[in-house]
Amino acid sequence: MKKGSGDEPVVPRSVAVIMDGNGRWAKRAGFERIRGHERGIDAVRTTVTECARLGVEALVLYAFSEENWQRPQREINLLFGLLERFLVEERDTLMQNRVRLLHSGRRARLSPKVLRLLDETVALTAANTGMRLSLAISYGGRQELLDAMQQLARRVQKGELAPEAIDEAALRSALYQPDLPDPDLLIRTAGEMRISNFLLWQVSYAEIHVSDVCWPEFGAEQLAAAFRDYGRRVRKFGKVL
Ligand code: IPE
Ligand code: IPE
Ligand code: MG
């Protein structure tokens, strides 16, 4: 159980963020949607460096869902252009903060260029011992569970695994990033109260914090507010305290 006294922030071990509201922020400011995504990069940098500084062990950022492939091709191209830039330009920041980059999601639809930049940045940061940062790109929670089940079924078919041996640990081992701890805190911006297919297995006991600000406006202050909110939660995991 993690329970802070009063209004003290408590730093969760593992945090996941649904970075939402880029389009709304841009629209309100009179810009094209893509300007919201551009500004969102600044919020990513702040959140990553703040979480690393405060001692978060694992951070998963929802950057592009499997369902986001249904967006207009122009927006998809611009988003991946930003991602490519991020994967190169943020290398120094990741190294300085000793952050190790990972990917959660399917690789099949990612372009060779995105895959190359992603793999290069993952390799460059592989020996970093600070916070692990997983970017959820082409990620869907249902798809992750389907991929895991197919992997387990193949092992059963080969005779490596008995059906009765499929327990929680076996399923977890087949997830995209099996070594990441489950999120203690799930943050969503732009006031939306839904999961949108994010980390369905892993968020079973996550505390949920919804921030009203759109993602481009999310900064250190909003992160601290989320950690204060987390500090007030009583986590029971089904037990009687
Ligand atoms: C989140 O912002 C970024 C992605 C989903 C890639 P949105 O683009 O969903 O912004 P809104 O929800 O339309 O405001
Ligand atoms: C969830 O946001 C996906 C990401 C933040 C990458 P969406 O904007 O796609 O979710 P919905 O459509 O509002 O549920
Ligand atoms: Mg949205």
Side-chain angles (χ1 to χ4, degrees):
M1 181 189 73
K2 271 202 180 114
K3 174 97 176 75
S5 52
D7 228 20
E8 282 304 297
V10 171
V11 177
R13 179 176 176 217
S14 177
V15 178
V17 186
I18 303 175
M19 309 183 287
D20 199 17
N22 291 352
R24 272 162 282 176
W25 177 86
K27 195 175 172 196
R28 265 180 232 147
F31 301 135
E32 259 199 289
R33 289 177 58 81
I34 189 65
R35 289 287 295 278
H37 299 314
E38 259 168 32
R39 286 290 292 266
I41 304 263
D42 297 335
V44 170
R45 190 181 308 109
T46 308
T47 302
V48 169
T49 50
E50 274 296 286
C51 283
R53 185 180 73 78
L54 291 166
V56 170
E57 283 178 36
L59 173 66
V60 187
L61 296 179
Y62 205 4
F64 193 86
S65 72
E66 279 287 86
E67 289 72 30
N68 289 152
W69 288 112
Q70 298 167 76
R71 290 192 178 197
Q73 194 56 47
R74 180 181 134 80
E75 180 167 340
I76 295 175
N77 294 345
L78 289 167
L79 266 168
F80 277 97
L82 285 175
L83 177 68
E84 288 168 8
R85 251 176 55 196
F86 174 88
L87 287 171
V88 176
E89 288 176 5
E90 298 306 314
R91 283 176 183 168
D92 286 347
T93 309
L94 297 175
M95 294 308 286
Q96 277 158 19
N97 289 279
R98 299 188 306 115
V99 172
R100 179 175 167 198
L101 188 79
L102 302 165
H103 172 227
S104 299
R106 284 184 173 167
R107 293 172 63 92
R109 293 173 80 174
L110 300 181
S111 73
K113 186 174 180 192
V114 166
L115 286 174
R116 178 173 60 78
L117 296 175
L118 192 55
D119 291 344
E120 279 173 9
T121 312
V122 167
L124 176 76
T125 62
N128 285 349
T129 53
M131 183 178 80
R132 282 171 292 173
L133 164 66
S134 191
L135 293 182
I137 304 164
S138 200
Y139 176 86
R142 288 185 172 178
Q143 292 83 350
E144 177 172 39
L145 291 172
L146 291 174
D147 289 350
M149 285 168 201
Q150 289 188 12
Q151 196 190 118
L152 294 175
R154 279 193 294 273
R155 289 179 56 202
V156 169
Q157 191 178 38
K158 283 196 228 155
E160 292 171 6
L161 184 71
E164 307 73 45
I166 299 177
D167 55 8
E168 287 194 15
L171 197 136
R172 183 179 293 279
S173 74
L175 297 176
Y176 297 135
Q177 291 298 341
D179 297 331
L180 287 186
D182 287 346
D184 296 303
L185 177 65
L186 172 67
I187 299 172
R188 183 163 186 156
T189 56
E192 301 294 352
M193 300 201 187
R194 57 177 171 271
I195 300 293
S196 299
N197 203 17
F198 193 35
L199 301 175
L200 294 183
W201 173 273
Q202 297 90 331
V203 297
S204 292
Y205 269 99
E207 298 296 331
I208 300 176
H209 172 85
V210 174
S211 174
D212 281 333
V213 305
C214 288
W215 179 248
E217 300 166 318
F218 191 87
E221 196 186 309
Q222 286 74 22
L223 187 71
F227 289 0
R228 276 196 302 277
D229 187 19
Y230 177 70
R232 289 190 289 266
R233 305 296 176 90
V234 180
R235 307 188 73 192
K236 299 197 287 186
F237 299 99
K239 299 171 201 159
V240 176
L241 292 179

